[in-house]
Amino acid sequence: MLRIYKSQNNHLALFDILNSLASPEPVIWFDLFNPSAEETRLVEDKLAIAIPTRDEMQEIELSDRLYQEDGAEFMTMTAAAKLDSDYPAKVPVTFILKGTCLVTVRHADPKPFQVYVNRIQKPNGAACDTGELVMLGLLEAMIDRTADALERAGNEVDAISREVFRKSNASATKKTRDLQSLIEQIGQKGDLLTVIRESLVSVGRLVAYHVATEGNTQRKAAKESRQRIKLIQRDAASLGDHALFLSNKINFLLDATLGLINLEQNQIIKIFSVAAVVFLPPTLVASVYGMNFDVMPELKWQLGYPYALSMMVLSALLPFLYFKRRGWL
């Protein structure tokens, strides 16, 4: 899908392909979302550039993500998508700046794109007369989306922390099942924070490269653009620190949860061990009187059977009272 945006009264307006060719206004933003070969070729012919393929966008090497070619800046970042779901994803998004025109290439639909498009098309939306301002607006929308996701993740991590360290009279088995469920939640939050941190690092690299490229080409950015770039860098760095703090807290909660599970399991093993020790003396008494001897005076006693039972009860009761007094039970 190809969306074409042009500037009308310093605000972006959406044009279809036929109207955009007939209209004299220059194109500010080509948005390629899962583009077909014909749509990609149309933009390439219009701007005389080679748009990277999906495989090229997923390259890990920094030189393959941030480079200059044919008089244009090619900047590919890792964006975070599906932050509201249990399965967040990392998707590559490429920004291509040539002159005052911006080209975005993406094969997913991160929510910040929808939010930004709805915002700029409002009558009182921010002025966007260059592709650079559109790119900065998209990055700001991604930062805002990431900040919301981090805030929500922080609240959920706090809730997990209260659940891990809560006091409960539940049985050991029930508490162990709850802790196992918490481990799954901790793992999901860890995956979310990993995706967010990688996206923030990618934003920082992209903005730093864009600033360096502006200096190399001796192009002076507008004062508003410079201020917005500084804010994006500052926000990305601060959110990255917050994400790192939450990641450390997640690791602490994981260690604490595993420790509590071990304590519960040790408590169960201790109960069995104490029970084995408590019933060992009665077993010894029963074994003695269960032996087949010819001479066993107690067999002739009228109270021999009650005597043996009393000895077994007493031999079990004394260790039990001892363990109880020591606090082992």
Side-chain angles (χ1 to χ4, degrees):
M1 180 184 297
L2 172 61
R3 298 186 180 96
I4 299 176
Y5 296 89
K6 293 187 176 185
S7 179
Q8 288 185 343
N9 299 325
N10 290 331
H11 292 84
L12 290 187
L14 178 63
F15 285 74
D16 57 30
I17 297 179
L18 295 179
N19 291 335
S20 66
L21 296 176
S23 176
E25 294 89 355
V27 176
I28 301 298
W29 179 18
F30 290 99
D31 183 22
L32 291 169
F33 171 47
N34 279 333
S36 63
E38 292 77 10
E39 294 170 339
T40 302
R41 193 178 307 110
L42 174 64
V43 177
E44 289 179 338
D45 295 340
K46 183 73 174 179
L47 299 179
I49 58 175
I51 294 177
T53 63
R54 187 170 188 172
D55 292 336
E56 292 172 344
M57 292 170 60
Q58 294 176 340
E59 291 290 338
I60 300 177
E61 291 294 334
L62 195 62
S63 59
D64 295 331
R65 285 177 161 251
L66 306 172
Y67 61 93
Q68 286 184 300
E69 186 178 83
D70 298 327
E73 297 177 43
F74 293 78
M75 297 167 286
T76 300
M77 63 165 290
T78 301
K82 301 179 180 179
L83 295 179
D84 292 332
S85 66
D86 294 333
Y87 304 98
K90 298 180 296 184
V91 295
V93 177
T94 298
F95 297 93
I96 305 173
L97 277 177
K98 185 168 186 181
T100 60
C101 182
L102 170 69
V103 180
T104 56
V105 186
R106 54 197 176 96
H107 297 274
D109 194 17
K111 195 171 182 179
F113 274 78
Q114 304 173 11
V115 174
Y116 179 72
V117 168
N118 295 333
R119 183 189 306 164
I120 61 176
Q121 289 184 331
K122 293 181 179 179
N124 57 348
C128 296
D129 54 358
T130 64
E132 183 186 30
L133 292 178
V134 175
M135 183 185 72
L136 295 179
L138 288 170
L139 293 178
E140 289 171 346
M142 292 181 181
I143 292 292
D144 293 340
R145 175 71 170 165
T146 303
D148 294 339
L150 278 178
E151 182 180 3
R152 185 173 59 255
N155 294 333
E156 293 174 351
V157 169
D158 291 339
I160 293 175
S161 178
R162 289 191 295 269
E163 184 68 19
V164 169
F165 298 108
R166 68 181 175 88
K167 293 183 179 180
S168 175
N169 295 325
S171 63
T173 304
K174 179 66 167 106
K175 290 170 68 176
T176 304
R177 284 201 301 266
D178 292 341
L179 293 175
Q180 291 173 351
S181 175
L182 289 175
I183 288 180
E184 296 178 359
Q185 298 180 36
I186 290 173
Q188 291 176 353
K189 296 300 171 283
D191 291 341
L192 173 63
L193 293 174
T194 300
V195 172
I196 289 177
R197 288 182 62 190
E198 185 171 344
S199 177
L200 291 172
V201 171
S202 183
V203 170
R205 286 178 175 175
L206 186 149
V207 175
Y209 176 81
H210 177 62
V211 172
T213 303
E214 282 189 337
N216 292 336
T217 57
Q218 297 181 351
R219 290 189 289 111
K220 293 184 178 180
K223 183 178 180 180
E224 178 187 359
S225 298
R226 293 199 302 269
Q227 291 177 348
R228 292 175 67 178
I229 288 174
K230 290 180 180 179
L231 286 175
I232 291 173
Q233 289 177 316
R234 190 179 303 123
D235 291 343
S238 60
L239 290 177
D241 293 339
H242 186 53
L244 179 60
F245 164 75
L246 291 178
S247 296
N248 293 334
K249 189 172 183 179
I250 281 290
N251 291 331
F252 166 72
L253 289 177
L254 180 60
D255 294 338
T257 304
L258 293 176
L260 289 175
I261 290 177
N262 289 332
L263 288 176
E264 296 296 338
Q265 292 176 344
N266 291 339
Q267 181 67 22
I268 295 174
I269 297 301
K270 184 177 71 173
I271 292 174
F272 283 108
S273 300
V274 171
V277 173
V278 167
F279 288 104
L280 181 60
T283 304
L284 176 61
V285 174
S287 299
V288 169
Y289 285 100
M291 296 179 182
N292 297 320
F293 290 111
D294 292 336
V295 180
M296 187 172 288
E298 293 85 354
L299 296 177
K300 304 298 183 178
W301 295 355
Q302 186 176 2
L303 298 177
Y305 180 70
Y307 171 78
L309 289 179
S310 300
M311 286 188 62
M312 287 189 285
V313 171
L314 184 62
S315 62
L317 187 60
L318 290 177
F320 175 79
L321 294 177
Y322 176 76
F323 291 144
K324 189 72 174 180
R325 187 175 181 180
R326 295 295 300 270
W328 295 351
L329 291 176

